[in-house]
Amino acid sequence: MLAGTAILFSLLTLALAWMVVWQRKRFAQRIAEIELRRLRAQIDPHFLFNTLNAISELGYDDPEAADSAITTLSGLLRTSLAETRQQEISLQAELEFLDDYLSLQRLLTRDDLSASVLADPRAAHARVPAMILQPLVENALTHGRPLGGKGRIDISTRRDEETLHIEVRDNGPGFESGSPGTGRKGIGIANTRARLDYLYAGKAMLEFRNADEGGTVACLTLPFREAP
């Protein structure tokens, strides 16, 4: 009888401990989801405000181009809202969103911008945070413009076994050398780093460096995970 009671007590203790661990895990996951939504909520209005401001300025000189930009922006917002509940999407979907974003930027700059995308087909279905590249490109457009020349953005993706490498390169003046991993800052970049921390728990990295041939390179490294 005593042995049976002891066994039953041990099983109940183990079950209770398991429930506590499970509840803590669910609570931590819920907190992370709330924080990730907060960070996304900061990025979207930031992007919208900057774009609407640029369209407003364009409207004085070229109303037709401004109207076309509003139409493109509407499509981008529909895509963004449709992905609000998805923290991760496929890299292919992210690049398609980015292509529309760059089309909008070309309208706003009156084609004073060129862009290229070199995508590794082995990485097309990798999972990446939704809208992770837009702040990097926006940062490059803001700070990486060459003085008196045409802006250029080059994006490349590469899968290296279980690691995904993404680079966003501009042809601007670069930044003053500082400690490793520093460079550009701002709301978009700070939130991007925070999202990476929450999603990958230190297994992802975002660094900036000056390119040998000029300009700045944003280097994003993620664990490779296949999207459904």
Side-chain angles (χ1 to χ4, degrees):
M1 178 69 71
L2 291 176
T5 302
I7 292 174
L8 180 60
F9 179 77
S10 298
L11 290 174
L12 288 173
T13 302
L14 287 173
L16 180 60
W18 181 83
M19 287 181 64
V20 170
V21 170
W22 182 68
Q23 289 290 348
R24 284 181 176 176
K25 186 176 181 180
R26 283 194 62 189
F27 180 74
Q29 183 179 6
R30 182 62 177 162
I31 292 296
E33 289 174 354
I34 292 173
E35 181 64 13
L36 284 166
R37 287 197 196 101
R38 183 185 70 83
L39 294 170
R40 280 288 305 274
Q42 289 181 11
I43 290 174
D44 296 344
H46 177 70
F47 154 62
L48 181 59
F49 173 80
N50 288 348
T51 305
L52 287 176
N53 188 52
I55 291 175
S56 176
E57 294 179 2
L58 180 64
Y60 287 105
D61 301 324
D62 194 340
E64 185 176 342
D67 183 67
S68 180
I70 290 173
T71 302
T72 303
L73 176 61
S74 297
L76 285 172
L77 291 177
R78 278 195 297 270
T79 302
S80 176
L81 291 172
E83 294 169 353
T84 298
R85 295 183 179 275
Q86 299 182 56
Q87 290 298 342
E88 292 182 302
I89 60 176
S90 71
L91 177 59
Q92 182 176 343
E94 178 72 4
L95 291 176
E96 289 172 357
F97 177 88
L98 194 63
D99 183 62
D100 290 338
Y101 175 75
L102 287 169
S103 296
L104 176 61
Q105 292 302 320
R106 280 191 286 268
L107 279 171
L108 296 176
T109 59
R110 305 183 188 188
D111 289 323
D112 192 26
L113 170 70
S114 61
S116 71
V117 177
L118 181 61
D120 184 347
R122 299 179 304 157
H125 297 291
R127 282 194 290 174
V128 299
M131 286 187 69
I132 195 69
L133 297 182
Q134 182 271 325
L136 302 183
V137 172
E138 181 183 26
N139 195 270
L141 293 173
T142 302
H143 302 287
R145 286 279 187 178
L147 298 176
K150 187 174 183 178
R152 180 170 183 82
I153 302 292
D154 295 309
I155 301 157
S156 63
T157 70
R158 176 173 59 87
R159 178 184 176 182
D160 182 14
E161 298 299 334
E162 300 305 313
T163 304
L164 175 65
H165 301 275
I166 304 175
E167 290 189 352
V168 177
R169 183 186 301 263
D170 63 54
N171 65 334
F175 58 89
E176 294 184 4
S177 299
S179 57
T182 62
R184 296 177 181 161
K185 305 181 186 300
I187 294 175
I189 299 303
N191 282 347
T192 297
R193 284 197 165 104
R195 291 179 66 205
L196 292 174
D197 287 341
Y198 273 97
L199 281 170
Y200 302 104
K203 295 181 180 179
M205 184 180 299
L206 173 61
E207 294 183 315
F208 292 87
R209 62 177 174 82
N210 284 322
D212 294 336
E213 63 275 19
T216 302
V217 184
C219 306
L220 177 62
T221 306
L222 304 172
F224 180 84
R225 295 189 295 192
E226 195 83 14

